[in-house]
Amino acid sequence: MELRSIYEIKSIDIKEQAIHTIIAFNKDHAVFGGHFPGNPIVPGVVQIQVLKDLLENALGKMVFLNHSKTIKFLNVINPIETVEVIFEIDFEFQQGNDLSVKCIVKTESQVYMKFSGTALLKEKE
């Protein structure tokens, strides 16, 4: 399930085992009306979904995040105050269809989320 209407990719740089992406959240998206009225924040589950979307787009495969070793939400992202964030994703292919994933969501001055875990890759149908 892509959440493309909630964010826009401003730039993307895909290397052999890394993705560096700058995205902007759509501050007018309906999710922010309820999360939270007058003080919108990007839900953690949305940040994880964006990570998954970016991996799928870069790898051309379906990605199932099946294990999280670490998920730390260190600061909230207010889409009005923080116009753009950086997703720095490092990944490594393991045995079979397994993928090791690390991600940091940040700006130049603030870290918002750290993720470390594994994913299962599957061919798109």
Side-chain angles (χ1 to χ4, degrees):
M1 172 186 77
E2 285 195 19
L3 296 174
R4 288 303 182 121
S5 64
I6 201 169
Y7 70 95
E8 174 186 1
I9 295 174
K10 295 297 197 174
S11 71
I12 188 165
D13 183 24
I14 302 170
K15 302 254 192 256
E16 190 171 314
Q17 293 188 335
I19 305 165
H20 184 273
T21 307
I22 298 173
I23 70 163
F25 286 103
N26 175 4
K27 64 181 174 45
D28 298 319
H29 193 279
V31 75
F32 299 123
H35 203 267
F36 295 98
N39 187 25
I41 64 168
V42 178
V45 68
V46 169
Q47 294 175 60
I48 299 296
Q49 183 67 43
V50 172
L51 164 61
K52 179 184 176 301
D53 290 351
L54 294 172
L55 281 167
E56 286 183 340
N57 290 333
L59 300 174
K61 296 185 178 194
M62 293 190 312
V63 172
F64 299 92
L65 296 170
N66 61 354
H67 180 263
S68 58
K69 180 178 178 182
T70 305
I71 302 177
K72 292 184 180 178
F73 297 100
L74 303 167
N75 293 287
V76 297
I77 302 172
N78 178 319
I80 296 169
E81 296 171 0
T82 306
V83 178
E84 296 180 345
V85 294
I86 301 164
F87 274 72
E88 288 184 352
I89 305 168
D90 295 309
F91 58 91
E92 186 176 330
F93 295 97
Q94 303 294 313
Q95 291 181 334
N97 294 322
D98 291 337
L99 191 69
S100 173
V101 180
K102 291 185 180 178
C103 175
I104 296 176
V105 179
K106 66 181 192 169
T107 60
E108 294 299 324
S109 61
Q110 187 92 284
V111 175
Y112 297 97
M113 181 191 75
K114 290 184 178 181
F115 173 91
S116 174
T118 59
L120 178 65
L121 300 177
K122 186 177 175 186
E123 294 296 328
K124 290 186 177 182
E125 296 176 355

